[in-house]
Amino acid sequence: MIRQYELVERVKSYDPETDENLLNRAYVFSMKAHGKQLRASGDPYFSHPLEVAGILTNMQLDCNTIVTALLHDTIEDTVATREQIEELFGEEIAKMVDGVTKLSKLEYVSENSKQAENFSKFLLAMSNDIRVLLVKLADRLHNMRTLHYIRKEEKRVRIARETLDIYAPLAERIGMQEVKEELEGLAFPYVYPEAYESIIKRLEYLHANTADIRDQVIRELEMLMEEAGIEAEVKGREKKPYSIWRKMTYRNVSLENQADILAFRIIVDDRETCYRALGAVHQKWQAVPGLFKDYISMPKPNGYQSLHTAVIGPQKNKIEIQIRSTEMDAVAEKGVAAHWTYKQHANSKEGAQFRWLQDLLEILEHSADPEEFLEHTKLAMYQDQVFCFTPKGELISLPRGATVVDFAYAVHTRIGDTCVGGKINGKPVQLRTILKNGDQVEILRSKAQHPSPTWLNFVITGKAKSAIRRFIRLQKKNEYIKLGRSILERSFLRESREFTQKSIGLAAKKLNMGGVDEVYEMVGKGELSDRKVLETVFPGIKLNGKDNNRPLNGADENGEKKKKNRSIPIRGLTPGLAVHLAECCHPLPGDRIVGISTTGKGIMVHTIDCDALEAYSETPEAWLDLSWAEQEEDLGFFVGRIEMLLDHEPGVLATVLNIVALERGNVSNIKFVERSPDLFRIELDIEIRDVKHLTSIITALRANERVNSVERAFS
């Protein structure tokens, strides 16, 4: 365990002006606060914050960050309070300690939602000061180093998986390659033990056959740099097991075909010398086409800069070489932490390397619940990038496989919401077109456009998925509100009661709801009956009208069939003539209608805009001006037809039928019109009362996120 004076000396070695008194006070406060607490290993608990502080001194972080590390578990695991820490150590340190706190005392529905909620709160704190993330990563790193002391295998696997899913990608996002690789290396054996054992065995075999090659390449590169008059340090490194496994899994590249299992790094003084060194390497050995990458002129989002090339080296072996300056190498290994050494701007969040953080905050704002946020966050953090440009030359980095819509949302949410098309390198393309490195992308927009649910079938970025789902949720909610208001207006009218916002507001208050819109939404969803609302607004009311939502099978409240006059309620008919409702347009009460008189067939009733009427345009004598008669009694059901475009997923048809049933409709026929791997189109014939009833069903269907489109069909 690091002693008090040793910790102070470490910090003073790179920051002679550090506040020694502050460090000593934090050391003593944390040691006393944790008292006799023990870790799973049996060590004093205080050893943990001390080791976290030690990890951060290796990154040469400022005094306040080291103090935060010493105190980071005191609020959660001891009797210390945030107010006490603020009083003793200042507001800045108190905020950082509060940001790192795990919030484990909060209870959530599931382990996943607990993890997601903690992460979202942590992200908000991190957005104010990136040092919060550095402390959290050091905290996780030490916990992973001691993970084997935890007895329950299930808990070890859960912590390791969380490390791979969240903390290693976060370390990569801020360029901390050393921390990222160690986290992955520690987690890999717990999450994928069989894959780990297999790769380790194959690497041991390769070691035995490549040791001589490694030393030979280093010697030749050193001689090559010397001949070119370039002062350089040459290193050899081996790709880590988890990185090898990811490449094998996600890119389907076998271990033997990975050129960078053995990689070599040439470190020179400055940017210009990097390109001179590259020229010398390519003069010596033949370059492998397609494997050169210039991350100096086009840095990664986390600030990483380097030249990457693959060449056919000694003994015809394919090897990877990285060329970078001394400063680039420090940033590549320590990421944002290196800025404290080179630029001394501890609180800076400027620059492209922090744009991803703003994207995550936007995802957090738009997500419906913590688990959805966690899903989108994972999508947003994985790094296999393509680099594209706006027409003005701004660089946009996206995950490989991203589409035009993903690009639009990466530029700005409003641009994504209103995009109708795109141009890649000046040529018009579809929204689902996948982008390639170096593409210049122009987004075509329309104010009338809105996000489409079908976009979820091809977008891959967390930001795009989050924004589209947010719009769908809002649209769905608005549809339910509109439907619920319509139902209540009819119910109040039926009972001869005045419908006002004030009366619905009163019902909302009595029912402990958030407001009138929530009442409308619940009624529209079918989770609150119009009868209940009426009884809440008018206690003791005797409801004598018919139920708006009664079934259409002609049964009474006891389920017994009623005998009714089934004559069609149409004005303008000559008594005794046979009347038929046309199957081409399925006219319903509420539609504008006309009749066509046909010898021997009687009157055929069509909607006024039915395409079949064109056949009678030159025989005006056959036309009859008709209208629906008002009826006090419900005469039963009519058939309406709708056409729908649905996601091709298990259970979607059952969802549709359930919605129709909840709206008191009855499906009498289903026709599959078109199928594709992603979507299918169907026609439904539904028994309903009138146009308003059909409209209510269509509205409810449109509100479901698995329904891409639904329209009334007239043929």
Side-chain angles (χ1 to χ4, degrees):
M1 192 164 67
I2 305 171
R3 296 183 179 182
Q4 185 173 347
Y5 75 89
E6 290 175 332
L7 179 67
V8 173
E9 289 302 317
R10 284 194 190 188
V11 181
K12 289 181 69 176
S13 67
Y14 61 83
D15 184 8
E17 303 300 320
T18 194
D19 188 339
E20 185 175 342
N21 180 50
L22 183 66
L23 283 169
N24 285 325
R25 285 192 289 116
Y27 187 103
V28 173
F29 180 89
S30 181
M31 182 173 60
K32 288 182 177 179
H34 288 293
K36 296 181 180 180
Q37 293 175 347
L38 298 177
R39 288 174 58 80
S41 62
D43 294 330
Y45 192 93
F46 176 59
S47 65
H48 169 64
L50 195 56
E51 289 297 331
V52 173
I55 290 170
L56 294 172
T57 60
N58 294 334
M59 301 178 191
Q60 300 188 356
L61 291 174
D62 65 305
C63 178
N64 282 1
T65 307
I66 305 303
V67 170
T68 299
L70 290 170
L71 303 174
H72 78 272
D73 274 339
T74 54
I75 295 177
E76 178 188 355
D77 294 331
T78 77
V79 296
T81 64
R82 186 190 188 282
E83 291 74 22
Q84 188 178 7
I85 289 176
E86 184 173 347
E87 181 182 347
L88 293 173
F89 301 100
E91 183 181 359
E92 180 182 333
I93 290 174
K95 281 184 177 179
M96 286 201 289
V97 172
D98 199 37
V100 181
T101 299
K102 299 170 188 173
L103 304 170
S104 60
K105 294 179 182 179
L106 296 177
E107 295 181 0
Y108 299 98
V109 175
S110 70
E111 193 63 45
N112 282 341
S113 64
K114 174 181 174 180
Q115 173 197 22
E117 183 78 12
N118 285 347
F119 183 70
S120 62
K121 290 177 182 291
F122 162 64
L123 178 68
L124 289 171
M126 180 182 74
S127 68
N128 295 322
D129 194 328
I130 200 73
R131 290 175 295 176
V132 170
L133 175 56
L134 301 181
V135 178
K136 187 65 177 178
L137 288 174
D139 171 51
R140 178 51 61 116
L141 181 57
H142 184 251
N143 283 333
M144 288 301 300
R145 288 174 178 175
T146 57
L147 186 63
H148 58 282
Y149 288 112
I150 293 177
R151 294 180 181 179
K152 292 184 178 179
E153 181 183 359
E154 182 182 341
K155 187 175 181 180
R156 292 197 301 268
V157 173
R158 177 181 60 78
I159 293 171
R161 184 175 295 279
E162 184 181 67
T163 299
L164 287 180
D165 285 349
I166 297 297
Y167 292 100
L170 275 172
E172 184 176 27
R173 271 295 192 173
I174 58 174
M176 299 181 71
Q177 189 69 14
E178 286 180 345
V179 173
K180 174 231 176 194
E181 288 184 347
E182 186 174 356
L183 287 173
E184 290 176 340
L186 291 167
F188 186 26
Y190 294 101
V191 182
Y192 304 105
E194 293 180 1
Y196 174 78
E197 290 295 333
S198 174
I199 289 174
I200 290 297
K201 287 179 181 178
R202 297 174 78 178
L203 283 176
E204 288 173 354
Y205 172 78
L206 287 176
H207 288 164
N209 294 276
T210 58
D212 293 341
I213 296 174
R214 179 178 178 275
D215 294 340
Q216 181 184 349
V217 172
I218 290 176
R219 285 195 301 269
E220 291 200 28
L221 283 173
E222 287 174 338
M223 291 175 57
L224 185 62
M225 294 298 105
E226 187 176 345
E227 291 170 3
I230 298 172
E231 288 190 18
E233 178 185 2
V234 180
K235 299 178 181 178
R237 71 161 183 85
E238 184 180 274
K239 196 175 182 71
K240 303 297 182 183
Y242 183 71
S243 296
I244 294 171
W245 179 79
R246 280 206 59 165
K247 200 167 186 178
M248 292 172 66
T249 304
Y250 295 107
R251 296 194 197 174
N252 199 27
V253 180
S254 68
L255 190 146
E256 290 77 10
N257 289 330
Q258 294 188 36
D260 54 350
I261 294 294
L262 276 180
F264 300 88
R265 187 172 300 159
I266 300 174
I267 302 172
V268 297
D269 290 335
D270 51 40
R271 177 189 180 111
E272 180 183 351
T273 311
C274 291
Y275 290 98
R276 287 175 54 208
L278 176 69
V281 169
H282 281 181
Q283 284 182 338
K284 172 77 172 179
W285 291 308
Q286 180 183 351
V288 179
L291 295 183
F292 171 69
K293 296 176 182 177
D294 186 348
Y295 291 119
I296 293 180
S297 64
M298 195 182 297
K300 289 186 177 183
N302 59 16
Y304 175 89
Q305 289 184 291
S306 187
L307 298 175
H308 289 197
T309 188
V311 297
I312 305 300
Q315 300 179 28
K316 302 299 181 181
N317 285 295
K318 188 164 62 174
I319 57 174
E320 183 188 85
I321 298 173
Q322 301 169 353
I323 305 172
R324 60 181 68 151
S325 70
T326 305
E327 181 176 345
M328 291 174 193
D329 188 56
V331 172
E333 296 304 315
K334 292 184 168 56
V336 71
H339 291 293
W340 272 264
T341 303
Y342 283 93
K343 297 185 180 178
Q344 298 297 316
H345 57 185
N347 290 307
S348 173
K349 296 200 300 290
E350 301 299 323
Q353 68 267 36
F354 292 101
R355 179 171 182 165
W356 65 274
L357 182 54
Q358 299 306 314
D359 285 348
L360 290 188
L361 290 172
E362 192 169 339
I363 291 171
L364 174 59
E365 179 184 351
H366 289 171
S367 294
D369 55 59
E371 291 185 46
E372 182 179 308
F373 165 67
L374 190 62
E375 173 200 345
H376 294 158
T377 299
K378 291 175 185 178
L379 288 172
M381 289 194 302
Y382 288 122
Q383 268 294 94
D384 197 8
Q385 299 285 316
V386 293
F387 300 94
C388 302
F389 297 90
T390 67
K392 294 183 179 179
E394 180 186 359
L395 177 66
I396 302 292
S397 62
L398 293 162
R400 193 168 300 278
T403 64
V404 172
V405 174
D406 291 302
F407 181 93
Y409 277 107
V411 175
H412 199 282
T413 301
R414 284 198 304 272
I415 294 176
D417 285 346
T418 55
C419 68
V420 293
K423 292 183 178 180
I424 296 180
N425 305 322
K427 297 180 179 179
V429 295
Q430 295 180 346
L431 290 174
R432 63 170 61 237
T433 302
I434 294 175
L435 304 177
K436 298 177 182 177
N437 264 322
D439 281 343
Q440 185 185 70
V441 185
E442 179 184 353
I443 301 299
L444 307 178
R445 302 171 61 195
S446 169
K447 291 182 179 179
Q449 175 68 306
H450 298 294
S452 168
T454 58
W455 294 356
L456 289 172
N457 296 323
F458 57 81
V459 297
I460 68 167
T461 59
K463 185 175 181 181
K465 285 181 179 287
S466 175
I468 295 165
R469 285 177 176 168
R470 175 178 177 267
F471 177 82
I472 292 170
R473 282 195 304 272
L474 185 60
Q475 186 183 44
K476 182 178 179 180
K477 180 178 180 179
N478 289 338
E479 294 280 7
Y480 280 134
I481 289 172
K482 184 179 177 182
L483 175 59
R485 181 186 175 102
S486 175
I487 290 172
L488 287 175
E489 284 178 342
R490 293 200 302 270
S491 299
F492 273 65
L493 180 63
R494 186 185 68 232
E495 299 299 331
S496 301
R497 301 284 181 164
E498 184 181 3
F499 177 84
T500 64
Q501 288 285 97
K502 185 177 180 181
S503 62
I504 303 302
L506 177 63
K509 188 174 181 181
K510 289 183 177 180
L511 294 169
N512 294 320
M513 293 186 177
V516 294
D517 280 352
E518 186 175 351
V519 175
Y520 294 148
E521 184 181 359
M522 296 292 282
V523 172
K525 286 181 177 179
E527 296 176 8
L528 176 66
S529 70
D530 53 343
R531 179 182 293 270
K532 178 68 174 176
V533 176
L534 280 162
E535 291 173 344
T536 303
V537 177
F538 307 107
I541 185 175
K542 293 183 178 180
L543 301 174
N544 48 30
K546 62 184 179 182
D547 187 351
N548 258 349
N549 294 322
R550 68 178 180 80
L552 282 169
N553 60 6
D556 61 17
E557 292 182 357
N558 298 317
E560 296 179 357
K561 294 281 184 177
K562 293 181 179 179
K563 293 182 179 179
K564 289 189 174 183
N565 178 9
R566 294 290 289 122
S567 61
I568 301 176
I570 296 177
R571 290 197 190 101
L573 292 174
T574 302
L577 285 178
V579 180
H580 308 279
L581 299 180
E583 293 186 2
C584 52
C585 56
H586 296 285
L588 301 172
D591 284 328
R592 290 184 59 196
I593 54 175
V594 296
I596 299 295
S597 177
T598 307
T599 303
K601 293 183 179 180
I603 307 298
M604 190 66 69
V605 180
H606 296 261
T607 60
I608 193 70
D609 53 357
C610 179
D611 293 339
L613 295 177
E614 292 183 11
Y616 303 95
S617 58
E618 297 182 0
T619 55
E621 66 277 5
W623 290 57
L624 297 174
D625 185 16
L626 305 178
S627 63
W628 295 99
E630 293 184 6
Q631 295 287 318
E632 293 185 1
E633 291 190 7
D634 184 0
L635 293 177
F637 60 80
F638 297 82
V639 176
R641 177 171 293 173
I642 60 173
E643 184 178 275
M644 309 175 64
L645 188 64
L646 306 173
D647 290 345
H648 202 162
E649 297 177 356
V652 67
L653 190 56
T655 299
V656 168
L657 297 178
N658 186 51
I659 291 171
V660 173
L662 288 173
E663 295 298 323
R664 302 298 189 268
N666 182 46
V667 175
S668 60
N669 187 48
I670 302 176
K671 179 182 178 182
F672 288 83
V673 179
E674 178 185 354
R675 291 176 183 266
S676 75
D678 298 325
L679 302 165
F680 64 93
R681 191 182 304 276
I682 64 171
E683 286 183 354
L684 293 185
D685 288 346
I686 307 175
E687 297 171 352
I688 36 83
R689 287 187 296 272
D690 51 28
V691 168
K692 287 185 178 180
H693 189 190
L694 183 62
T695 302
S696 295
I697 292 173
I698 290 174
T699 301
L701 288 168
R702 285 176 177 167
N704 189 277
E705 61 184 11
R706 302 172 79 182
V707 177
N708 289 289
S709 67
V710 53
E711 302 292 342
R712 184 176 172 185
F714 293 97
S715 60

